[in-house]
Amino acid sequence: MAEYLEIAEEKMMDTLDNLEGNLRVLRTGRASASLLERVQVEYYGSMMPINQLSRIQVLEGTQLVVKPYDRSIVKAVGHAIAAANLGLNPLTEADLVRINVPQLTQERREQLAKEAQKYGEEAKVAVRNIRRNCNESIKKDKTITEDDRDGLLEDSQELTDSYIKNIEDAVNAKKKEILNV
């Protein structure tokens, strides 16, 4: 009986983790290695995450320095960062890529806050869909008594409410971080 809730909680946890990953990638005005987390670089015919191919350092809070372990891919790293559409302009040097992270305008901050809100709404929809699937499974199971079914449906709703609150908290924290000048 409780396995339905365990499966649902696992899926909701994955949804929350995915949301947090999406929020980490949003710029906040400070340079952070997590800005490049989703950048993929072509390396010997396959796409690889940039953080597996290079060391990423933050200098003075306004600049990122990406130093590939293999000097032959410096240009490929620069192109991958430019192609990632992050609003960053990489400067390719001899054996590293330097990225100046410009300060965000108020308008751009508001756009990023809306994007964070959008990610949050998508996560809430996913959590509600998980709840719906869990509830359907509980209702279809003929081995569960009516009282147990009602209890499980209540527990399913409580679980959903707690994850919705976690999502809202994560999004609000990110929006505050983005809008804070």
Side-chain angles (χ1 to χ4, degrees):
M1 290 188 288
E3 65 266 7
Y4 295 121
L5 294 177
E6 288 173 14
I7 292 168
E9 184 168 18
E10 222 171 87
K11 290 179 180 178
M12 288 179 187
M13 207 176 296
D14 289 344
T15 301
L16 186 60
D17 290 344
N18 184 39
L19 170 70
E20 289 169 349
N22 287 338
L23 293 178
R24 256 195 315 276
V25 176
L26 290 179
R27 281 185 44 202
T28 58
R30 290 185 288 280
S32 166
S34 66
L35 288 175
L36 304 177
E37 204 169 81
R38 295 204 174 147
V39 175
Q40 299 278 318
V41 180
E42 187 171 342
Y43 187 63
Y44 291 113
S46 63
M47 299 304 280
M48 299 203 45
I50 193 170
N51 57 0
Q52 290 183 9
L53 298 172
S54 37
R55 189 178 73 202
I56 303 170
Q57 287 182 292
V58 179
L59 298 180
E60 302 159 17
T62 60
Q63 193 176 76
L64 291 172
V65 174
V66 181
K67 187 168 175 138
Y69 301 126
D70 180 355
R71 291 180 72 174
S72 68
I73 63 165
V74 172
K75 284 187 177 172
V77 168
H79 290 301
I81 293 168
N85 203 13
L86 300 171
L88 302 173
N89 294 320
L91 303 170
T92 307
E93 296 179 9
D95 63 342
L96 56 87
V97 177
R98 195 175 298 275
I99 305 163
N100 289 317
V101 180
Q103 287 296 317
L104 297 173
T105 63
Q106 187 61 32
E107 183 180 311
R108 181 68 179 138
R109 287 178 190 279
E110 289 168 5
Q111 285 176 337
L112 290 171
K114 285 180 185 174
E115 199 169 323
Q117 186 68 42
K118 184 185 82 166
Y119 285 141
E121 291 304 319
E122 290 170 358
K124 286 180 191 178
V125 168
V127 165
R128 289 182 186 122
N129 287 338
I130 293 166
R131 177 196 58 200
R132 186 193 67 230
N133 293 340
C134 176
N135 288 352
E136 286 173 0
S137 297
I138 291 169
K139 289 175 184 175
K140 285 180 184 174
D141 191 336
K142 301 298 180 194
T143 63
I144 302 174
T145 65
E146 196 172 318
D147 289 341
D148 288 343
R149 183 178 301 128
D150 292 343
L152 286 172
L153 293 175
E154 251 178 60
D155 292 346
S156 171
Q157 183 60 47
E158 287 173 13
L159 182 67
T160 302
D161 291 344
S162 74
Y163 274 91
I164 295 287
K165 184 177 179 347
N166 291 343
I167 288 168
E168 288 172 351
D169 291 346
V171 168
N172 289 335
K174 187 62 174 188
K175 283 171 57 177
K176 183 178 178 186
E177 186 180 345
I178 289 169
L179 295 173
N180 189 10
V181 179

